[in-house]
Amino acid sequence: MTESSRRKIVVTGRIPESGLEILRSVGDVWAWSDDAPIPTEIRDAQLADAHVAVTLLTDRVDDAFLAAAPQLSLVANVAVGYNNVDVAACTARGVTVTNTPGVLTDATADLALGLILMVTRRLGEGERLIRSGVPWKWGMFMMLGTGLQGLRLGIVGMGAIGTAT
């Protein structure tokens, strides 16, 4: 593919530089670099000649989005789900849709364990007490939490996140 025939890739939100480098190796990349949502007028102007759109879960990929991108052949949705994408509208226009399943499984399991420890060991309450600067004195029952040793964790729905937890 010659330099002038490289496909245009529009990235609608801020992603890691390493991801942009990979995209630059396969196409001409225009990327929105702000954490705030991309204004519709800027997005649509960039989509006008785009072949690929890399979207975030905050983007609504619907008829209006697709109408602004007549050459679009791929929507790469950086999200585990795809409820922000009108798959039927994409299919009707011959636009392939991808997502990133599994990317948050371990992080979600870690957070579940963190929340369990926050509750059982009263970590949030203790952190707020220390930050408040209010003088305190240790006592046998001060901030006494509950240990997890010998307990069993019950998980409803043993999918990927439950298994990782």
Side-chain angles (χ1 to χ4, degrees):
M1 194 174 269
T2 66
E3 193 65 32
S4 63
S5 66
R6 286 170 52 96
R7 296 168 62 86
K8 180 177 180 184
I9 303 168
V10 171
V11 183
T12 61
R14 198 161 79 95
I15 66 170
E17 184 60 34
S18 57
L20 291 173
E21 288 174 16
I22 292 168
L23 292 172
R24 286 184 193 112
S25 74
V26 297
D28 294 325
V29 176
W30 181 91
W32 180 250
S33 60
D34 199 333
D35 284 326
I38 185 172
T40 303
E41 4 6 291
I42 294 173
R43 180 201 72 193
D44 289 355
Q46 291 301 322
L47 287 173
D49 59 346
H51 301 95
V52 174
V54 177
T55 59
L56 303 183
L57 64 94
T58 52
D59 294 308
R60 181 77 190 131
V61 181
D62 54 14
D63 282 322
F65 183 102
L66 296 167
Q71 298 179 63
L72 202 63
S73 61
L74 174 66
V75 171
N77 194 39
V78 182
V80 171
Y82 53 91
N83 58 321
N84 60 312
V85 178
D86 185 339
V87 176
C90 289
T91 301
R93 289 176 169 85
V95 176
T96 300
V97 177
T98 65
N99 66 338
T100 54
V103 71
L104 296 176
T105 299
D106 289 339
T108 305
D110 290 351
L111 287 173
L113 289 174
L115 289 170
I116 291 168
L117 289 171
M118 292 288 290
V119 170
T120 59
R121 289 298 183 177
R122 300 174 65 182
L123 297 176
E125 186 180 350
E127 184 267 345
R128 286 188 299 277
L129 175 64
I130 291 169
R131 286 186 185 270
S132 74
V134 173
W136 57 274
K137 183 177 178 183
W138 179 84
M140 179 62 77
F141 298 99
M142 181 187 179
M143 300 297 299
L144 183 63
T146 303
L148 298 176
Q149 299 73 23
L151 298 179
R152 180 172 295 168
L153 176 63
I155 299 175
V156 176
M158 201 59 171
I161 293 170
T163 301
T165 302

